[in-house]
Coordinates of all heavy atoms in Angstrom, one line a residue:
L98 N 95.3 113.2 125.8 CA 96.6 113.8 126.2 C 96.7 115.2 125.5 O 96.6 115.3 124.3 CB 97.8 112.9 125.7 CG 98.1 111.7 126.5 CD1 99.4 111.1 126.0 CD2 98.3 112.0 128.0
A106 N 105.5 111.9 126.4 CA 105.3 110.5 126.4 C 106.1 109.8 125.3 O 106.7 108.8 125.5 CB 103.8 110.1 126.3
H107 N 106.1 110.5 124.1 CA 106.9 110.0 123.0 C 108.4 110.1 123.1 O 109.1 109.4 122.5 CB 106.4 110.7 121.7 CG 107.0 110.1 120.4 ND1 106.7 108.9 120.0 CD2 107.8 110.7 119.5 CE1 107.3 108.7 118.8 NE2 108.0 109.8 118.5
G108 N 108.8 111.0 124.0 CA 110.2 111.3 124.2 C 110.8 112.3 123.2 O 112.0 112.3 123.1
H266 N 107.0 98.1 118.3 CA 106.0 97.8 119.3 C 104.8 97.1 118.6 O 104.4 97.5 117.5 CB 105.5 99.2 119.9 CG 104.6 99.0 121.0 ND1 103.2 98.7 120.9 CD2 104.8 99.2 122.4 CE1 102.7 98.7 122.1 NE2 103.6 98.9 123.0
L290 N 98.3 106.4 116.5 CA 99.1 107.2 117.4 C 100.4 106.4 117.7 O 100.5 105.2 117.7 CB 98.4 107.3 118.7 CG 97.1 108.2 118.6 CD1 96.3 108.0 119.9 CD2 97.5 109.7 118.4
P291 N 101.5 107.2 117.9 CA 102.8 106.5 118.3 C 102.5 105.6 119.5 O 101.7 106.0 120.4 CB 103.7 107.7 118.6 CG 103.1 108.8 117.8 CD 101.7 108.7 117.8
A292 N 103.3 104.5 119.6 CA 103.0 103.5 120.6 C 103.1 104.0 122.0 O 102.3 103.7 122.9 CB 104.0 102.3 120.4
L293 N 104.1 104.9 122.3 CA 104.2 105.4 123.6 C 103.1 106.4 124.0 O 102.8 106.5 125.2 CB 105.6 106.1 123.8 CG 106.8 105.2 123.7 CD1 108.1 105.9 123.8 CD2 106.8 104.1 124.9
V294 N 102.5 107.0 123.0 CA 101.4 107.9 123.3 C 100.2 107.0 123.6 O 99.4 107.3 124.6 CB 101.1 108.8 122.1 CG1 99.8 109.6 122.3 CG2 102.3 109.7 121.9
V295 N 100.0 105.9 122.9 CA 98.9 105.0 123.2 C 99.1 104.4 124.6 O 98.1 104.3 125.4 CB 98.9 103.8 122.2 CG1 97.9 102.7 122.6 CG2 98.6 104.3 120.8
A296 N 100.3 104.1 125.0 CA 100.5 103.6 126.3 C 100.2 104.6 127.4 O 99.6 104.3 128.4 CB 102.0 103.2 126.5
A297 N 100.5 105.9 127.2 CA 100.1 106.9 128.1 C 98.6 107.1 128.2 O 98.1 107.3 129.3 CB 100.8 108.2 127.7
L298 N 97.9 107.0 127.1 CA 96.5 107.1 127.2 C 95.9 105.9 128.0 O 94.9 106.1 128.7 CB 95.9 107.1 125.7 CG 96.1 108.4 124.9 CD1 95.7 108.1 123.5 CD2 95.2 109.5 125.5
R300 N 97.4 104.2 130.4 CA 97.6 104.4 131.8 C 96.6 105.4 132.4 O 96.2 105.3 133.5 CB 99.1 104.9 132.0 CG 100.1 103.8 131.9 CD 101.4 104.3 132.5 NE 101.9 105.5 131.8 CZ 102.6 105.5 130.7 NH1 103.0 104.4 130.1 NH2 103.1 106.7 130.2

Side-chain angles (χ1 to χ4, degrees):
L98 282 185
H107 186 65
H266 190 280
L290 292 167
L293 291 175
V294 176
V295 173
L298 288 170
R300 285 195 301 273

